[in-house]
Amino acid sequence: MLASQSDYGTQFWPDNGEIDILECVGYQPGVMHATIHTKAYNHVLGTQKSASTTLPDFDKVFHVHRMDWTPDYIRVFIDGVQYFEYKNSKTGWEQWPFNKKQHILMNLAIGGTWGGLQGVDDTIFPNKLQIDYIRVFAFINSTAAPSTPSTTSPSSASPSAAPTKTPTSSLSKSPTLAPTATTTVTPSAVITAVPTPIPSASSTSTSYPTPTKAPSSSPSLSGFPSFASTPFWADEFDRDGLPDPSKWSYDVGNSGWGNNELQYYTNANIKNAHIENGILTIEAIKEVVGTSSYSSARLLTKGKNDFLYGRVEVRAKIPAGRGNWPSVWMLASQSD
């Protein structure tokens, strides 16, 4: 996610903050990363706060990636299991610029300063990031959280390879370079990322337990910050064709705005972003577009869904393939 109001520092990235809810690179199959960037903590300085975990079946089944954002912390989960936390130290905007509205972005990059570190395998195309739904729930309780919140361990049931939506009652990148922290998933403990040397493809990571689909409602527990049980904004991708223009716009261009990516992001091209049978597919294609060797799409909610604090849930299936770089994230308006 990126801040929709760029009021801090130079008003450019990373001063107004970036939140990476879901990010991975194809040469590290199944390794999921959650990261925040601020003026004090960012990949240019090598100080970004990040954590990772491994999903062995990442490209076979859909998983729910969740981010909880309150005035006190940002936490990231997969299928209800927390693996990342960043706390508000209350020492200034350089550490916590996350008190401004943000918007959501999602894209499938090819190559680049991180995704292309081990080259691009041209046999992976077409390459597809698939999204079953994305939902945003309001933050409704400012009660301080206990120091060690419990986490929900996945049940013994296995997720279905076929996406199944949980119905709802109703209904704002500068993508990261290689993260500097790798943490082990411990379902019963809070994990706080601490910067370490940049991990390589051979870095140790812990296999993620077989999870189940997270519920769409957000339970309210006494003493915990709570979130609305019904999303105030959502896209279930139930309309075939192009994504809903009332909810999504497109970043258009090549190189990834400083990331040396190899694709060209197209504008409302049904080849690169289309909905069919309740699933949004962002598709990277090997084709020449201008000076780029590939095409893809980068969608964003800027000006259509900008919000302050809340819970974001994304049910996604991640594509395999050396050279790809899928992301769901939030970033600052003048930095995207």
Short mmCIF file of all heavy atoms in Angstrom, two decimals, residues 53-84:
data_model
loop_
_atom_site.label_atom_id
_atom_site.label_comp_id
_atom_site.label_asym_id
_atom_site.label_seq_id
_atom_site.Cartn_x
_atom_site.Cartn_y
_atom_site.Cartn_z
N THR A 53 7.80 -16.31 4.87
CA THR A 53 7.41 -17.67 5.18
C THR A 53 7.20 -18.41 3.87
O THR A 53 7.10 -17.79 2.81
CB THR A 53 6.13 -17.70 6.04
OG1 THR A 53 5.88 -19.04 6.49
CG2 THR A 53 4.93 -17.20 5.27
N THR A 54 7.15 -19.73 3.93
CA THR A 54 7.08 -20.53 2.71
C THR A 54 5.74 -21.26 2.60
O THR A 54 5.27 -21.88 3.56
CB THR A 54 8.22 -21.57 2.68
OG1 THR A 54 9.47 -20.89 2.72
CG2 THR A 54 8.14 -22.42 1.41
N LEU A 55 5.13 -21.17 1.42
CA LEU A 55 3.90 -21.90 1.08
C LEU A 55 4.25 -22.94 0.02
O LEU A 55 4.42 -22.59 -1.15
CB LEU A 55 2.85 -20.94 0.52
CG LEU A 55 2.15 -19.98 1.48
CD1 LEU A 55 1.23 -19.06 0.71
CD2 LEU A 55 1.38 -20.74 2.54
N PRO A 56 4.32 -24.21 0.37
CA PRO A 56 4.70 -25.21 -0.63
C PRO A 56 3.73 -25.31 -1.80
O PRO A 56 4.14 -25.62 -2.92
CB PRO A 56 4.73 -26.51 0.20
CG PRO A 56 4.91 -26.08 1.61
CD PRO A 56 4.20 -24.78 1.71
N ASP A 57 2.44 -25.05 -1.55
CA ASP A 57 1.43 -25.19 -2.60
C ASP A 57 0.97 -23.84 -3.14
O ASP A 57 -0.16 -23.69 -3.60
CB ASP A 57 0.23 -25.97 -2.08
CG ASP A 57 -0.42 -25.32 -0.86
OD1 ASP A 57 0.11 -24.30 -0.37
OD2 ASP A 57 -1.46 -25.83 -0.39
N PHE A 58 1.85 -22.84 -3.09
CA PHE A 58 1.50 -21.47 -3.45
C PHE A 58 0.88 -21.34 -4.82
O PHE A 58 0.04 -20.46 -5.06
CB PHE A 58 2.73 -20.57 -3.37
CG PHE A 58 3.76 -20.83 -4.45
CD1 PHE A 58 3.86 -19.99 -5.54
CD2 PHE A 58 4.60 -21.94 -4.39
CE1 PHE A 58 4.80 -20.24 -6.55
CE2 PHE A 58 5.53 -22.19 -5.38
CZ PHE A 58 5.63 -21.34 -6.46
N ASP A 59 1.29 -22.18 -5.78
CA ASP A 59 0.80 -22.07 -7.15
C ASP A 59 -0.27 -23.10 -7.48
O ASP A 59 -0.72 -23.19 -8.62
CB ASP A 59 1.96 -22.21 -8.15
CG ASP A 59 2.68 -23.54 -8.02
OD1 ASP A 59 2.62 -24.16 -6.94
OD2 ASP A 59 3.32 -23.96 -9.00
N LYS A 60 -0.70 -23.85 -6.46
CA LYS A 60 -1.70 -24.89 -6.68
C LYS A 60 -3.07 -24.51 -6.11
O LYS A 60 -4.10 -24.90 -6.66
CB LYS A 60 -1.25 -26.21 -6.05
CG LYS A 60 0.08 -26.74 -6.55
CD LYS A 60 0.01 -27.12 -8.02
CE LYS A 60 1.25 -27.91 -8.47
NZ LYS A 60 2.50 -27.15 -8.29
N VAL A 61 -3.09 -23.83 -4.98
CA VAL A 61 -4.34 -23.48 -4.32
C VAL A 61 -4.34 -22.00 -3.95
O VAL A 61 -3.29 -21.35 -3.91
CB VAL A 61 -4.58 -24.33 -3.05
CG1 VAL A 61 -4.63 -25.81 -3.38
CG2 VAL A 61 -3.51 -24.06 -2.00
N PHE A 62 -5.52 -21.49 -3.65
CA PHE A 62 -5.66 -20.10 -3.21
C PHE A 62 -5.43 -20.02 -1.70
O PHE A 62 -5.86 -20.89 -0.95
CB PHE A 62 -7.06 -19.58 -3.54
CG PHE A 62 -7.28 -19.28 -4.99
CD1 PHE A 62 -7.46 -20.30 -5.92
CD2 PHE A 62 -7.31 -17.96 -5.43
CE1 PHE A 62 -7.65 -20.03 -7.26
CE2 PHE A 62 -7.50 -17.68 -6.77
CZ PHE A 62 -7.67 -18.71 -7.69
N HIS A 63 -4.75 -18.95 -1.27
CA HIS A 63 -4.53 -18.67 0.14
C HIS A 63 -4.99 -17.24 0.44
O HIS A 63 -4.93 -16.36 -0.42
CB HIS A 63 -3.05 -18.80 0.51
CG HIS A 63 -2.54 -20.20 0.43
ND1 HIS A 63 -2.60 -21.10 1.48
CD2 HIS A 63 -1.95 -20.88 -0.59
CE1 HIS A 63 -2.08 -22.25 1.12
NE2 HIS A 63 -1.68 -22.16 -0.14
N VAL A 64 -5.41 -17.03 1.70
CA VAL A 64 -5.86 -15.70 2.12
C VAL A 64 -4.70 -14.95 2.77
O VAL A 64 -4.19 -15.36 3.82
CB VAL A 64 -7.05 -15.79 3.09
CG1 VAL A 64 -7.45 -14.39 3.57
CG2 VAL A 64 -8.24 -16.46 2.41
N HIS A 65 -4.29 -13.87 2.14
CA HIS A 65 -3.25 -12.98 2.65
C HIS A 65 -3.96 -11.79 3.31
O HIS A 65 -4.77 -11.12 2.68
CB HIS A 65 -2.34 -12.52 1.53
CG HIS A 65 -1.67 -13.64 0.82
ND1 HIS A 65 -0.37 -14.03 1.07
CD2 HIS A 65 -2.13 -14.50 -0.14
CE1 HIS A 65 -0.06 -15.06 0.31
NE2 HIS A 65 -1.10 -15.37 -0.43
N ARG A 66 -3.63 -11.54 4.57
CA ARG A 66 -4.36 -10.53 5.34
C ARG A 66 -3.39 -9.55 5.98
O ARG A 66 -2.31 -9.94 6.45
CB ARG A 66 -5.18 -11.22 6.43
CG ARG A 66 -6.04 -10.28 7.26
CD ARG A 66 -6.80 -11.07 8.33
NE ARG A 66 -6.34 -10.73 9.67
CZ ARG A 66 -6.42 -11.54 10.71
NH1 ARG A 66 -6.89 -12.76 10.58
NH2 ARG A 66 -6.00 -11.14 11.91
N MET A 67 -3.78 -8.29 6.00
CA MET A 67 -3.01 -7.25 6.66
C MET A 67 -3.92 -6.49 7.60
O MET A 67 -4.98 -6.01 7.19
CB MET A 67 -2.39 -6.30 5.64
CG MET A 67 -1.44 -5.26 6.23
SD MET A 67 -2.26 -3.73 6.77
CE MET A 67 -2.96 -3.12 5.25
N ASP A 68 -3.54 -6.39 8.88
CA ASP A 68 -4.26 -5.59 9.87
C ASP A 68 -3.45 -4.33 10.15
O ASP A 68 -2.28 -4.42 10.53
CB ASP A 68 -4.45 -6.36 11.18
CG ASP A 68 -5.47 -7.49 11.06
OD1 ASP A 68 -6.07 -7.63 9.98
OD2 ASP A 68 -5.64 -8.23 12.06
N TRP A 69 -4.08 -3.18 9.98
CA TRP A 69 -3.41 -1.88 10.13
C TRP A 69 -4.18 -1.05 11.15
O TRP A 69 -5.35 -0.73 10.94
CB TRP A 69 -3.37 -1.21 8.76
CG TRP A 69 -2.87 0.19 8.69
CD1 TRP A 69 -1.99 0.84 9.53
CD2 TRP A 69 -3.23 1.16 7.69
NE1 TRP A 69 -1.77 2.12 9.12
CE2 TRP A 69 -2.51 2.35 7.99
CE3 TRP A 69 -4.07 1.13 6.58
CZ2 TRP A 69 -2.65 3.51 7.20
CZ3 TRP A 69 -4.19 2.27 5.81
CH2 TRP A 69 -3.48 3.44 6.12
N THR A 70 -3.53 -0.74 12.26
CA THR A 70 -4.12 0.09 13.31
C THR A 70 -3.17 1.24 13.61
O THR A 70 -2.06 1.29 13.07
CB THR A 70 -4.35 -0.74 14.59
OG1 THR A 70 -3.10 -0.88 15.30
CG2 THR A 70 -4.93 -2.12 14.28
N PRO A 71 -3.55 2.17 14.49
CA PRO A 71 -2.62 3.24 14.84
C PRO A 71 -1.36 2.74 15.56
O PRO A 71 -0.37 3.47 15.66
CB PRO A 71 -3.45 4.13 15.77
CG PRO A 71 -4.87 3.85 15.41
CD PRO A 71 -4.90 2.40 15.05
N ASP A 72 -1.39 1.49 16.04
CA ASP A 72 -0.29 0.99 16.85
C ASP A 72 0.59 -0.05 16.16
O ASP A 72 1.73 -0.26 16.58
CB ASP A 72 -0.85 0.37 18.14
CG ASP A 72 -1.54 1.40 19.01
OD1 ASP A 72 -0.92 2.45 19.27
OD2 ASP A 72 -2.70 1.17 19.39
N TYR A 73 0.08 -0.72 15.12
CA TYR A 73 0.87 -1.77 14.50
C TYR A 73 0.34 -2.11 13.12
O TYR A 73 -0.79 -1.81 12.76
CB TYR A 73 0.89 -3.04 15.36
CG TYR A 73 -0.48 -3.66 15.58
CD1 TYR A 73 -1.11 -4.41 14.58
CD2 TYR A 73 -1.15 -3.49 16.80
CE1 TYR A 73 -2.36 -4.96 14.78
CE2 TYR A 73 -2.40 -4.03 16.99
CZ TYR A 73 -3.01 -4.77 15.98
OH TYR A 73 -4.25 -5.31 16.17
N ILE A 74 1.19 -2.80 12.36
CA ILE A 74 0.81 -3.45 11.10
C ILE A 74 1.18 -4.92 11.25
O ILE A 74 2.32 -5.25 11.62
CB ILE A 74 1.56 -2.83 9.91
CG1 ILE A 74 1.09 -1.39 9.69
CG2 ILE A 74 1.35 -3.66 8.64
CD1 ILE A 74 1.99 -0.59 8.77
N ARG A 75 0.23 -5.81 10.99
CA ARG A 75 0.48 -7.24 11.07
C ARG A 75 0.05 -7.91 9.78
O ARG A 75 -0.95 -7.51 9.18
CB ARG A 75 -0.27 -7.87 12.25
CG ARG A 75 0.23 -7.41 13.61
CD ARG A 75 -0.64 -7.94 14.74
NE ARG A 75 -0.14 -7.46 16.03
CZ ARG A 75 -0.89 -7.32 17.11
NH1 ARG A 75 -2.18 -7.63 17.08
NH2 ARG A 75 -0.37 -6.88 18.24
N VAL A 76 0.76 -8.94 9.37
CA VAL A 76 0.44 -9.67 8.15
C VAL A 76 0.30 -11.15 8.47
O VAL A 76 1.07 -11.71 9.27
CB VAL A 76 1.51 -9.44 7.06
CG1 VAL A 76 1.17 -10.22 5.79
CG2 VAL A 76 1.63 -7.95 6.74
N PHE A 77 -0.70 -11.78 7.86
CA PHE A 77 -1.07 -13.16 8.12
C PHE A 77 -1.24 -13.90 6.79
O PHE A 77 -1.55 -13.29 5.76
CB PHE A 77 -2.42 -13.24 8.84
CG PHE A 77 -2.54 -12.43 10.11
CD1 PHE A 77 -2.62 -11.05 10.09
CD2 PHE A 77 -2.62 -13.07 11.34
CE1 PHE A 77 -2.77 -10.31 11.25
CE2 PHE A 77 -2.77 -12.34 12.52
CZ PHE A 77 -2.85 -10.96 12.48
N ILE A 78 -1.10 -15.20 6.83
CA ILE A 78 -1.55 -16.07 5.73
C ILE A 78 -2.47 -17.11 6.33
O ILE A 78 -2.09 -17.83 7.26
CB ILE A 78 -0.38 -16.74 5.00
CG1 ILE A 78 0.53 -15.69 4.35
CG2 ILE A 78 -0.92 -17.70 3.93
CD1 ILE A 78 1.73 -16.28 3.62
N ASP A 79 -3.71 -17.14 5.83
CA ASP A 79 -4.71 -18.08 6.32
C ASP A 79 -4.83 -18.04 7.84
O ASP A 79 -4.96 -19.06 8.50
CB ASP A 79 -4.43 -19.49 5.84
CG ASP A 79 -4.44 -19.60 4.33
OD1 ASP A 79 -5.43 -19.19 3.70
OD2 ASP A 79 -3.44 -20.07 3.78
N GLY A 80 -4.78 -16.84 8.41
CA GLY A 80 -4.98 -16.65 9.83
C GLY A 80 -3.75 -16.79 10.68
O GLY A 80 -3.81 -16.54 11.89
N VAL A 81 -2.62 -17.18 10.11
CA VAL A 81 -1.38 -17.34 10.87
C VAL A 81 -0.51 -16.10 10.69
O VAL A 81 -0.11 -15.78 9.57
CB VAL A 81 -0.61 -18.60 10.45
CG1 VAL A 81 0.70 -18.72 11.22
CG2 VAL A 81 -1.46 -19.84 10.67
N GLN A 82 -0.22 -15.41 11.77
CA GLN A 82 0.60 -14.19 11.71
C GLN A 82 2.07 -14.54 11.51
O GLN A 82 2.61 -15.43 12.17
CB GLN A 82 0.45 -13.39 13.00
CG GLN A 82 1.26 -12.11 13.02
CD GLN A 82 1.14 -11.36 14.34
OE1 GLN A 82 0.09 -11.37 14.96
NE2 GLN A 82 2.23 -10.74 14.77
N TYR A 83 2.74 -13.81 10.60
CA TYR A 83 4.19 -14.01 10.44
C TYR A 83 4.97 -12.71 10.38
O TYR A 83 6.20 -12.73 10.30
CB TYR A 83 4.50 -14.88 9.23
CG TYR A 83 4.34 -14.23 7.86
CD1 TYR A 83 5.46 -13.76 7.16
CD2 TYR A 83 3.10 -14.10 7.27
CE1 TYR A 83 5.33 -13.19 5.91
CE2 TYR A 83 2.96 -13.53 6.01
CZ TYR A 83 4.08 -13.07 5.34
OH TYR A 83 3.94 -12.50 4.09
N PHE A 84 4.30 -11.56 10.46
CA PHE A 84 5.00 -10.28 10.44
C PHE A 84 4.29 -9.29 11.34
O PHE A 84 3.05 -9.25 11.39
CB PHE A 84 5.05 -9.73 9.02
CG PHE A 84 5.61 -8.32 8.92
CD1 PHE A 84 6.97 -8.09 9.06
CD2 PHE A 84 4.77 -7.23 8.70
CE1 PHE A 84 7.49 -6.79 8.97
CE2 PHE A 84 5.28 -5.94 8.61
CZ PHE A 84 6.64 -5.72 8.74
#
